[in-house]
Amino acid sequence: MKTKIKEIFSSIQGEGPVIGYKQLFIRFCACNLKCKYCDTDFSTDNAYEYSPTELFEKISNEYNLDTFHSISLTGGEPLLFVDFLKEFLPLVKKYNIKIYLETNATLSNQLNIIKNHIDIIAADIKLPSSTGNNTFNEHKNFFKNCNNIPTFAKIVFDNNITDSEIQNCINIAKEYNLELVLQPKMIENQMAVTSEFCNSILDKFTSDYKNVRLIPQVHKFINVR
Ligand code: SF4
């Protein structure tokens, strides 16, 4: 079986609690959501097709995998390619490298198929005001299945975030004991909201739930991918 990969590149993780670690990013070419703020090119234009073995040979020949903190599976939505991943991930495990899954946290059945190979889950809680879709129930199902895997939930927000969305996020975080990362939406390399607004949103979250951090996308400030 072969899968199209949009790009493979070395960079630092610019989001969430493992910020600053060197990662090898592998970007998959499709997503099951259409978020209004999405600025990621995961189209199949200029993508290359690999079998699991071919992809493993490529990354192990072209990169010194022992120097990376982790491999970031990103997209698009990597869990759409679970049949590929269940063959690819065991190959990588011969290296001392973690597997970091970036996911929109809506595909719990697919997570269950490969969860034994995942070390860190960077999951989203999507806000209907930012994405145009209400996916809170899908997120709950997803987090129910993340047990025993270090998981944090990222919430991208802008001026449209509502008090009811904040309460929904807090309820999910309490139920599944999640660390929350608030990430202001970016327009190109600028935050779409003011620092004052960020602080006010952080205050609303922390008035009811302490395990919350405000972390902008740092790679955009230091101009790396
Ligand atoms: S889940 Fe991520 S990749 Fe998919 S549309 Fe939303 S922002 Fe884009």
Side-chain angles (χ1 to χ4, degrees):
M1 159 231 326
K2 294 205 172 200
T3 289
K4 285 196 170 160
I5 301 292
K6 178 72 181 181
E7 54 182 352
I8 301 166
F9 61 96
S10 164
S11 190
I12 61 157
Q13 176 54 245
E15 300 179 355
V18 305
I19 204 158
Y21 278 114
K22 182 178 167 184
Q23 289 189 325
L24 184 66
F25 290 80
I26 299 177
R27 187 180 306 287
F28 291 81
C29 289
C31 189
N32 57 321
L33 299 184
K34 287 186 181 161
C35 304
K36 285 193 283 190
Y37 61 79
C38 184
D39 61 358
T40 307
D41 178 8
F42 51 80
S43 68
T44 53
D45 299 347
N46 302 320
Y48 284 93
E49 203 169 53
Y50 299 94
S51 69
T53 306
E54 286 166 347
L55 182 61
F56 173 69
E57 284 173 358
K58 180 177 173 67
I59 64 171
S60 51
N61 288 336
E62 294 188 10
Y63 298 92
N64 182 353
L65 294 182
D66 286 327
T67 66
F68 288 86
H69 171 270
S70 40
I71 291 177
S72 177
L73 306 172
T74 191
E77 175 49 59
L79 287 175
L80 291 174
F81 303 92
V82 75
D83 290 336
F84 179 91
L85 289 171
K86 76 181 180 203
E87 290 185 27
F88 171 69
L89 295 178
L91 300 174
V92 176
K93 278 293 170 180
K94 69 156 96 164
Y95 287 91
N96 181 22
I97 188 166
K98 294 182 194 306
I99 302 297
Y100 180 97
L101 172 67
E102 298 199 55
T103 174
N104 61 33
T106 57
L107 300 173
S108 52
N109 291 340
Q110 288 85 340
L111 173 69
N112 283 336
I113 295 169
I114 56 160
K115 66 197 283 188
N116 289 345
H117 301 294
I118 305 297
D119 299 294
I120 304 167
I121 300 179
D124 291 329
I125 298 179
K126 301 286 190 189
L127 302 180
S129 61
S130 298
T131 64
N133 298 307
N134 187 328
T135 45
F136 285 128
N137 284 338
E138 285 89 339
H139 295 322
K140 283 192 205 170
N141 277 336
F142 186 89
F143 291 120
K144 208 184 289 175
N145 288 283
C146 292
N147 45 330
N148 302 324
I149 307 174
T151 301
F152 70 91
K154 182 182 77 185
I155 301 164
V156 177
F157 69 95
D158 62 15
N159 283 317
N160 296 313
I161 186 170
T162 67
D163 288 348
S164 136
E165 288 175 332
I166 291 172
Q167 197 55 55
N168 266 321
C169 293
I170 290 172
N171 292 346
I172 294 173
K174 283 181 175 173
E175 189 169 354
Y176 300 104
N177 194 23
L178 296 170
E179 176 172 29
L180 295 181
V181 172
L182 306 180
Q183 184 175 292
K185 184 171 99 176
M186 300 290 284
I187 298 176
E188 307 221 322
N189 287 354
Q190 298 288 324
M191 292 202 306
V193 291
T194 63
S195 303
E196 291 74 23
F197 187 76
C198 289
N199 276 329
S200 73
I201 295 303
L202 181 62
D203 284 345
K204 283 188 178 183
F205 272 91
T206 55
S207 67
D208 194 12
Y209 190 68
K210 292 278 181 292
N211 195 6
V212 186
R213 290 201 261 177
L214 177 75
I215 309 180
Q217 288 181 300
V218 167
H219 54 294
K220 294 196 174 170
F221 290 98
I222 59 174
N223 203 22
V224 297
R225 294 179 80 188

